[in-house]
Amino acid sequence: MSYKKWVIETADKEKASALSEKLNIDPFLSYLLAVRGINDELSVSEFLSDSVRLVSPFLFADMDKAVNRINLALERNEKICIYGDYDCDGVTATSLLFTFLESMGADVIYFIPDRITDGYGMNNGAIDKIHSLGTDLIVTVDNGISAINEAEYIYSLGMELVVTDHHQIGEILPKAEAVVNPHREDNKILFRDFAGVGVAFKLVCAMYDGDTDDLLEQYADLVTIGTIGDVVPLVGENRCLVKSGLSLINNDTRIGLSALKELAGSKERELTAGDVAFQICPRINAAGRMDKASIAVELLITDDYETAKVRAQQLCDENEHRHQVENNISEDIENKIRENPRLAEDRVIVIDGKGYHKGVIGISASHISEVYSKPAIVIGVDENGDGTGSARSIEGFNIFDAISSCEDLLTHFGGHPLAAGLGIKSSDIPELRRRINEYAEKYYSVMPVETLHIDCKLSPFYLTVDLVDSISRLEPYGERNKQPIFGIFNMILCSVTPIGDGRHIRIEASKKGKIFRIVFFKTTADEFPYKQGDMLDFAVRISKNLYKGRYYLSIQAIDVRKSGSDAEKFFLEKTDYQLFLLGNKNNTALYPERNDCSVIYKFLKQNGAWQYTAEDLYFALEQRVTYGQLCFALDAFEEAGLISRNNGITINEVSGKTDLDSTNVLKTLKGRL
């Protein structure tokens, strides 16, 4: 297991209590709001309000120009092409603008690039196709802000361009009749964290003569799905839009979504933002990952239920296909790490494989980064030796800068601090692995520690369905308004049961004689390093599940650690060890004395072997040795032939006594210290 730093948040309890009384809200809800920094009457009232307050779309720079040019196209009966993107945000934005313009009588078509053949954003080949269809005006949604050369090409063909996008702006803007982007400095807006579909909705609001409430009733569901799918902050206007859209989704106002919910098994229950994120968005994304994103657009714009059922089934089938492909890649990656454990010890994990599907490698990279709490790059290599990579990082490590340092090895790359993509020849992958880890050692001598923010400590006896209901006013949960995480401490481990084809586990833990069932996803029984009787602390989220007409409490573990563990001590010792390996610091607490080695070796002998990580072993030893002492002792054991390390630690049969002090590992260490 990887280990995170737990931070228990605090808030002014007296102030929260006073607000609770004044505004007549649940005291615990008031405290959780205060933890989020929402701690005065106005901000609490606005956060909990169900009313939708949207600022004028004309506060966006160029919005008037965009409206004028599109209206001119309507008057002239020009052909308009909406140029979208293949992800959930781009699909919903395309569906929204297409439906609106069609209702206005426009001659409108849409184009979604193919992830495999076209890649992200605009490209000249796609522009040629659009031009051949007689298009006069291209309107982008969720892309276009970086299409500098492509914009020039559009105008060279006699077409014109309107850009609506939400991605960060470069040094120059593309040539266009209008560029609408919330990150423009000349905007007059305060809230800027819209998804691409949010910007498209703002354009529709600017073009519409009637009441904005009419547009919310027609399109808030699409805005909600795209906003949740793109993981933008669910605060400000986004929170208002998602609240409004969830109501539409649950009332089955769109035929396509109703069909999709039915096939996803979500028809009979009220969906939350989390449900949309895990049940609706992946199925819409699956079209662009595995097939053609236009299937998802057809689902969202159709008025025919038979068509909706067919398209919904296609999305569910593609999502199942995506799961299978993802599992195959995960198994292959796990096998590679078993065969070469050093891969997982790198500061930046770089894994490549033949035939890894381009549409899934980003999910795989996210999984590796989450499991190991490190930046990860997964590269799929095709039959020609061309690699396509997807990178995911942890907070505090800028993966885009790290990849940029290897620019000369890459055929292309792009991204931001936490996620990036790249192209590379397979022959250059070993050099990329070496150089990006050199970069990490140079600029991140101490790797950032992944932090888990816990809203508060709580007795497990307070975890009830009623508590779920009382804090539900915090919803919709999402980026910058996370579902609350509670710390429950000193639980006795009773049992561990594999579930979900062995990919997850159900834990039974007790306190004062009462047993609590806790689900821990993406961790197998073989990876869980604790045994019956261990005293554990859990960081958990709670929700409720409907079964046979009754709601039951669901407890999900986010992280688990041994009770009484000194995490601060662990991270300090790990830092000392990392710095020492880089030659930056000499610390005598790194040398494993005879007694330290004895403690470690006796534990391994008693357990017969150790199938978990060195970090797990450190905590199993109850921190009786430092992290550095443990790592150097294991190196010495291996050199002396006492143990073998391959997918864990096994004890070797040896005859006679072993002089560990004579091993090169400890002689070199002693010399440096």
Side-chain angles (χ1 to χ4, degrees):
M1 289 178 62
S2 63
Y3 288 85
K4 303 177 180 66
K5 183 177 181 179
W6 289 18
V7 175
I8 312 291
E9 303 291 353
T10 58
D12 188 328
K13 293 182 180 178
E14 290 184 7
K15 190 173 182 180
S17 179
L19 275 172
S20 167
E21 290 184 18
K22 198 158 192 176
L23 298 175
N24 192 28
I25 59 176
D26 183 272
F28 192 57
L29 172 64
S30 182
Y31 180 78
L32 292 177
L33 286 167
V35 166
R36 285 158 165 70
I38 305 167
N39 52 15
D40 61 75
E41 286 185 54
L42 179 60
S43 59
V44 169
S45 297
E46 287 185 346
F47 187 86
L48 297 179
S49 172
D50 288 329
S51 61
V52 179
R53 288 180 292 279
L54 305 177
V55 301
S56 168
F58 290 102
L59 295 177
F60 283 73
D62 276 10
M63 185 64 84
D64 55 340
K65 295 178 182 177
V67 170
N68 290 339
R69 180 61 188 88
I70 295 172
N71 280 335
L72 184 62
L74 292 172
E75 292 171 13
R76 294 175 174 174
N77 199 32
E78 293 177 332
K79 185 179 285 292
I80 303 170
C81 179
I82 301 164
Y83 196 116
D85 187 30
Y86 43 68
D87 70 358
C88 198
D89 188 16
V91 163
T92 51
T94 300
S95 302
L96 188 158
L97 190 55
F98 175 84
T99 305
F100 175 77
L101 290 178
E102 192 176 54
S103 72
M104 298 283 286
D107 180 5
V108 59
I109 58 174
Y110 61 85
F111 178 86
I112 306 280
D114 184 282
R115 183 189 290 265
I116 307 300
T117 59
D118 294 319
Y120 169 76
M122 307 193 87
N123 66 83
N124 288 355
I127 292 167
D128 286 335
K129 293 178 193 173
I130 292 168
H131 180 251
S132 70
L133 297 172
T135 300
D136 300 292
L137 176 66
I138 296 176
V139 182
T140 71
V141 290
D142 191 34
N143 74 97
I145 197 65
S146 60
I148 308 303
N149 295 330
E150 291 81 2
E152 293 288 348
Y153 186 62
I154 286 168
Y155 278 85
S156 75
L157 295 176
M159 296 184 289
E160 293 185 345
L161 176 67
V162 168
V163 172
T164 77
D165 199 356
H166 73 119
H167 293 98
Q168 293 294 326
I169 296 173
E171 294 181 4
I172 59 173
L173 296 177
K175 180 179 181 179
E177 304 307 295
V179 177
V180 180
N181 187 304
H183 298 293
R184 285 185 60 162
E185 292 183 1
D186 50 348
N187 288 326
K188 296 177 181 178
I189 55 176
L190 295 176
F191 182 78
R192 297 172 181 266
D193 291 323
F194 294 96
V197 70
V199 180
F201 181 70
K202 284 293 187 181
L203 173 62
V204 167
C205 289
M207 293 186 64
Y208 188 63
D209 290 333
D211 193 328
T212 305
D213 287 344
D214 296 339
L215 295 178
L216 286 170
E217 289 178 7
Q218 294 180 67
Y219 303 119
D221 53 350
L222 297 178
V223 180
T224 292
I225 294 167
T227 298
I228 291 172
D230 218 53
V231 202
V232 292
L234 286 194
V235 295
E237 283 197 44
N238 285 344
R239 178 174 170 81
C240 296
L241 289 165
V242 169
K243 269 192 168 186
S244 181
L246 285 172
S247 176
L248 294 186
I249 292 169
N250 285 312
N251 287 326
D252 290 323
T253 57
R254 188 173 301 274
I255 288 173
L257 287 179
S258 180
L260 189 60
K261 282 170 58 182
E262 187 171 355
L263 286 171
S266 305
K267 189 75 169 176
E268 301 304 320
R269 57 191 298 259
E270 187 167 311
L271 299 189
T272 65
D275 295 325
V276 171
F278 289 103
Q279 296 179 32
I280 303 299
C281 294
R283 286 173 167 80
I284 292 175
N285 270 326
R289 291 186 188 280
M290 311 307 295
D291 197 351
K292 302 291 184 186
S294 57
I295 296 171
V297 177
E298 290 168 19
L299 172 81
L300 297 176
I301 66 176
T302 187
D303 290 324
D304 179 66
Y305 190 67
E306 292 304 315
T307 300
K309 285 198 296 185
V310 171
R311 295 292 176 259
Q313 186 63 61
Q314 285 179 278
L315 293 191
C316 289
D317 291 343
E318 292 298 351
N319 191 51
E320 184 60 33
H321 181 207
R322 189 265 303 172
H323 268 302
Q324 293 170 359
V325 172
E326 181 187 336
N327 289 339
N328 291 341
I329 293 175
S330 294
E331 287 178 13
D332 191 63
I333 289 172
E334 288 168 8
N335 289 334
K336 290 179 188 297
I337 292 175
R338 282 194 201 98
E339 293 167 6
N340 182 9
R342 302 292 183 189
L343 287 171
E345 294 171 11
D346 285 343
R347 288 165 179 258
V348 180
I349 299 174
V350 180
I351 303 275
D352 63 285
K354 291 183 179 179
Y356 286 0
H357 196 289
K358 293 181 182 179
V360 175
I361 53 175
I363 300 173
S364 300
S366 293
H367 179 63
I368 295 173
S369 181
E370 183 181 328
V371 168
Y372 293 97
S373 294
K374 293 179 178 182
I377 304 174
V378 175
I379 303 170
V381 180
D382 66 18
E383 63 277 5
N384 299 316
D386 294 321
T388 299
S390 190
R392 296 294 184 272
S393 194
I394 58 174
E395 200 68 47
F397 187 99
N398 191 319
I399 192 67
F400 179 75
D401 286 349
I403 289 172
S404 299
S405 72
C406 307
E407 180 177 3
D408 58 300
L409 297 174
L410 309 176
T411 57
H412 65 271
F413 71 99
H416 55 77
L418 290 177
L422 59 89
I424 188 171
K425 290 291 183 183
S426 61
S427 56
D428 289 325
I429 293 173
E431 181 67 5
L432 171 69
R433 182 181 292 111
R434 185 187 70 80
R435 282 183 31 193
I436 204 165
N437 276 285
E438 277 186 356
Y439 175 93
E441 288 184 1
K442 181 177 180 181
Y443 293 101
Y444 296 88
S445 56
V446 178
M447 287 291 283
V449 174
E450 190 171 0
T451 301
L452 180 65
H453 293 275
I454 296 174
D455 290 78
C456 68
K457 293 182 180 181
L458 205 60
S459 165
F461 297 97
Y462 285 103
L463 303 180
T464 63
V465 170
D466 287 341
L467 179 62
V468 176
D469 290 335
S470 69
I471 64 176
S472 64
R473 294 186 69 187
L474 292 173
E475 295 195 42
Y477 299 127
E479 195 66 20
R480 282 181 34 198
N481 182 42
K482 298 286 190 180
Q483 185 176 354
I485 297 176
F486 304 118
I488 56 175
F489 292 76
N490 302 316
M491 307 284 290
I492 299 172
L493 179 61
C494 301
S495 66
V496 176
T497 305
I499 58 174
D501 296 326
R503 292 175 294 153
H504 319 295
I505 55 176
R506 182 175 64 246
I507 300 164
E508 289 192 342
S510 69
K511 190 160 190 176
K512 295 180 180 178
K514 182 176 179 180
I515 292 179
F516 298 84
R517 289 181 176 84
I518 304 169
V519 175
F520 197 9
F521 291 117
K522 296 182 180 178
T523 297
T524 67
D526 289 340
E527 294 166 341
F528 193 66
Y530 306 111
K531 62 183 185 299
Q532 185 177 0
D534 282 348
M535 189 81 77
L536 303 178
D537 301 336
F538 294 85
V540 303
R541 293 192 183 109
I542 58 173
S543 58
K544 61 182 184 180
N545 289 331
L546 182 64
Y547 180 68
K548 292 186 177 179
R550 181 181 170 189
Y551 282 104
Y552 293 86
L553 178 71
S554 173
I555 307 175
Q556 178 193 345
I558 306 304
D559 199 16
V560 186
R561 68 183 187 186
K562 207 161 191 177
S563 299
S565 300
D566 189 340
E568 289 292 338
K569 179 175 181 287
F570 165 67
F571 288 118
L572 286 172
E573 290 173 1
K574 189 174 182 181
T575 295
D576 284 342
Y577 174 70
Q578 290 176 337
L579 289 172
F580 183 82
L581 293 181
L582 295 176
N584 295 346
K585 189 177 181 182
N586 290 343
N587 186 333
T588 53
L590 294 168
Y591 191 88
E593 302 290 352
R594 182 182 297 273
N595 185 59
D596 302 318
C597 292
S598 177
V599 166
I600 298 166
Y601 191 69
K602 281 181 179 177
F603 181 89
L604 292 173
K605 286 275 283 185
Q606 288 169 358
N607 284 272
W610 188 253
Q611 67 187 68
Y612 312 108
T613 66
E615 293 182 355
D616 295 328
L617 179 57
Y618 169 84
F619 285 106
L621 289 165
E622 297 177 337
Q623 301 177 288
R624 285 179 286 169
V625 297
T626 70
Y627 183 75
Q629 287 170 338
L630 173 63
C631 291
F632 283 120
L634 292 176
D635 288 342
F637 291 169
E638 187 172 31
E639 183 186 335
L642 294 173
I643 64 171
S644 297
R645 285 192 283 185
N646 185 15
N647 192 25
I649 300 170
T650 53
I651 304 293
N652 297 329
E653 291 294 330
V654 292
S655 58
K657 290 188 176 181
T658 302
D659 181 11
L660 291 173
D661 287 329
S662 67
T663 60
N664 290 325
V665 169
L666 295 192
K667 283 196 296 186
T668 303
L669 177 60
K670 200 167 209 175
R672 280 191 59 187
L673 294 174

